[in-house]
Amino acid sequence: MFVSDILGHKGSRVIAVTPDETLASAIATLSARRIGAVLVLDADKKLVGILSERDILHAVARRAAEALTLRVGEAMTTPVVTCDPDDTVEHVMELMTNGRFRHLPVVRRGDLLGVVSIGDVVKWRLDETRQEAEVLRQYIAT
Ligand code: AMP
């Protein structure tokens, strides 16, 4: 199974913020969209970072309430690890496990094609496991 299979189902919508937005503004986006991370795109729509709830937690630990006035560019993680639509889901699981993160932008030749989260990967794996079990059940029954 490939990253492109997941994107085929969930689509290529990407929720993004800019590096000069405040953390308060980025938090409002995360909350309104009910997501755990946003990509950070510059004025040319180039991927320059990723901001997850964990980065916000670190910023609050360092700066307390003042963290809300920091710019996204001061709290985001960069460089961003990305994957290709032709990568396997297993490869993506390895990247997430080794990197200890739960979000991977999908990029091909500089074009941002979507984001895969650990939730998408687990859902995909569950569906696949159920299908395999069903095939085995039918095989045993016949
Ligand atoms: P997450 O588990 O995805 O919420 O992120 C945990 C930490 O890893 C945060 O500091 C994120 O900014 C960072 N992070 C998340 N995804 C990526 C990625 N694809 N590349 C680099 N860092 C990331």
Side-chain angles (χ1 to χ4, degrees), residues 2-11 89 115-117 120-121 124:
F2 300 92
V3 168
S4 54
D5 295 318
I6 295 180
L7 285 191
H9 273 257
K10 75 172 279 196
V89 173
V115 178
V116 172
S117 76
D120 300 325
V121 171
W124 192 261

Side-chain angles (χ1 to χ4, degrees), residues 50 52 54-55 77 79-81 100-105:
I50 185 164
S52 99
R54 201 165 303 178
D55 300 312
T77 302
V80 186
V81 179
R100 295 174 181 268
F101 48 66
R102 299 165 290 179
H103 302 88
L104 265 183

Side-chain angles (χ1 to χ4, degrees), residues 7-61:
L7 285 191
H9 273 257
K10 75 172 279 196
S12 58
R13 196 166 64 119
V14 166
I15 297 169
V17 295
T18 61
D20 50 357
E21 272 180 52
T22 60
L23 277 202
S25 163
I27 290 168
T29 302
L30 290 170
S31 168
R33 304 299 189 126
R34 297 185 170 277
I35 52 173
V38 277
L39 300 188
V40 186
L41 305 184
D42 69 10
D44 299 325
K45 301 287 174 209
K46 184 170 163 273
L47 178 64
V48 292
I50 185 164
L51 181 81
S52 99
E53 47 205 1
R54 201 165 303 178
D55 300 312
I56 295 165
L57 188 81
H58 289 314
V60 171

